Amino acid sequence: MKISHSFLSAKPYVAPTWLRGGHAQTIYPYLLARPAIPYRRERWELDDGDFIDIDWLDNAPDAPLVVLFHGLEGGSCSHYVVSMMSLLRELGWRGAVVHFRGCSGTPNRLPRAYHAGDSAEIDWVLQRLGRENKRRGFNVPLYAVGVSLGGNALLKCLGERGRQACQLLDGAVTVSVPLDLAAAGKALGSGFNLLYTRHFLDTLKRKALGKLDLFPGLFDCAAVAACTTLYEFDNLVTAPLHGFRDTEDYWKQSSSKPWLKHIEVPTLVINALNDPFMPALALPGPADVSSAVILEFPEQGGHVGFLNSPFPGRLTWLPERIVGFFGELGGRAAPESTDALHTLQAS
């Protein structure tokens, strides 16, 4: 698919004057009220005996479908997911929020869970969605959005699949991705960023320790309970449960940055330069990506923040940017998208 570059004239992100700094722009969106989305949940059984839960936003069966892969310990109620699904609902598009194993509110069945490099799981989901579209006789656009950890796994999948991925997807957008997991892990291991680490570890450790009831001796209970960094948790839990030697091996093998040169699906990569999770110096440059990949690095935005004025703020820029990109690729859906976006901006 040939990429149209006219979307580059899209309105760039400008942070509110009253919300400055990467930390404020990351944390503040969590405080905003979130509208209810009328999801329909569907459970998909996996070949290894486990399952994942998909929350569907239903609309006309021949409408474009956007599948979203959430971030670490995220889900269909995360603020960035709700804002995306709210816009899709207004447009009459369909949405599918894929919960990684253990992230839908119900513990998964196996000792393993999910991780940042789980491209095989992404590929399995995309292939099933493609088969179901064909089975129902609809030739509709299928787009993917990956946020943070989910974006890393998506980019890795697209790079690994190369040209074959174009048979699965019409386009992809990733947001606030830790493209270099070692750099991101180091950033999250010190200073104010330990606040985010403690937030993630609160649920990660609880889930991991809960697995010991079903799988005694799976790992060192006391060591997991005492760990204070993602490096330690990945060394004790994530790496051994998913076939990696240690944290360094996991982070090296799972980082998506080396795969960006091999992506052939039209892909937009959005990362704020002030993202506390991903140092700007570790971000890729034009020489690090294929011609199918567009890099967009706003100066502000934090980690999956991108709040709009006026006060108290709206989470509209990011979903509008994503849909605008897909509209350019999809063609026939673009006019409807434009009308709906103007309506939302005026409300």
Side-chain angles (χ1 to χ4, degrees), residues 29-99:
Y30 286 89
L31 307 179
L32 297 177
R34 304 171 197 181
I37 304 295
Y39 290 122
R40 171 180 58 84
R41 176 157 293 189
E42 185 176 6
R43 178 159 294 182
W44 286 3
E45 295 292 330
L46 302 172
D47 296 337
D48 60 8
D50 215 337
F51 70 91
I52 55 174
D53 287 330
I54 316 292
D55 279 356
W56 289 89
L57 172 68
D58 291 322
N59 261 310
D62 61 344
L65 173 60
V66 177
V67 56
L68 193 149
F69 300 97
H70 61 75
L72 182 64
E73 293 300 275
S76 59
C77 292
S78 297
H79 68 77
Y80 52 86
V81 178
V82 171
S83 64
M84 186 71 222
M85 293 298 135
S86 296
L87 180 55
L88 295 181
R89 186 183 182 192
E90 292 285 341
L91 296 174
W93 289 23
R94 294 181 296 143
V97 184
V98 179
H99 290 94

Side-chain angles (χ1 to χ4, degrees), residues 80-274:
Y80 52 86
V81 178
V82 171
S83 64
M84 186 71 222
M85 293 298 135
S86 296
L87 180 55
L88 295 181
R89 186 183 182 192
E90 292 285 341
L91 296 174
W93 289 23
R94 294 181 296 143
V97 184
V98 179
H99 290 94
F100 292 116
R101 304 186 193 210
C103 289
S104 63
T106 303
N108 66 305
R109 302 180 187 128
L110 300 183
R112 64 151 295 176
Y114 68 103
H115 63 88
D118 204 353
S119 52
E121 199 102 303
I122 301 284
D123 183 59
W124 185 88
V125 169
L126 294 178
Q127 295 220 38
R128 174 161 174 172
L129 287 170
R131 288 195 302 269
E132 293 199 353
N133 267 343
K134 289 181 180 179
R135 178 178 56 82
R136 290 161 44 168
F138 295 118
N139 183 23
V140 298
L142 175 59
Y143 306 114
V145 175
V147 179
S148 196
L149 176 146
N152 187 81
L154 174 60
L155 289 172
K156 183 170 178 282
C157 174
L158 297 181
E160 290 171 343
R161 296 277 294 179
R163 170 57 59 179
Q164 290 180 317
C166 297
Q167 300 173 10
L168 300 175
L169 282 178
D170 294 288
V173 176
T174 64
V175 182
S176 301
V177 174
L179 300 130
D180 182 331
L181 291 172
K186 183 177 180 180
L188 287 168
S190 62
F192 187 88
N193 283 354
L194 285 172
L195 173 69
Y196 308 117
T197 297
R198 286 194 291 270
H199 170 72
F200 291 134
L201 287 178
D202 181 51
T203 53
L204 286 170
K205 289 162 68 171
R206 190 184 318 131
K207 289 179 182 178
L209 295 174
K211 287 185 180 290
L212 294 177
D213 295 334
L214 295 174
F215 308 100
L218 190 61
F219 40 72
D220 187 329
C221 176
V224 171
C227 73
T228 58
T229 66
L230 291 175
Y231 179 96
E232 293 172 333
F233 182 86
D234 286 343
N235 222 34
L236 292 165
V237 180
T238 312
L241 286 188
H242 299 97
F244 301 101
R245 183 178 63 253
D246 51 24
T247 296
E248 284 88 354
D249 184 46
Y250 162 47
W251 286 354
K252 181 178 180 180
Q253 290 199 47
S254 298
S255 292
S256 60
K257 187 175 178 179
W259 291 101
L260 298 177
K261 286 185 176 181
H262 307 285
I263 293 175
E264 298 198 35
V265 171
T267 301
L268 174 64
V269 176
I270 302 173
N271 274 67
L273 294 178
N274 70 343

Side-chain angles (χ1 to χ4, degrees), residues 324-343:
F325 179 67
F326 291 153
E328 289 288 339
L329 297 177
R332 70 176 183 85
E336 180 184 1
S337 305
T338 302
D339 292 342
L341 289 177
H342 287 322
T343 300

Side-chain angles (χ1 to χ4, degrees), residues 19 24-32 34 79 304-305 307 315:
L19 191 69
Q25 292 163 10
T26 298
I27 296 170
Y28 185 85
Y30 286 89
L31 307 179
L32 297 177
R34 304 171 197 181
H79 68 77
V304 205
L307 190 80
L315 295 172

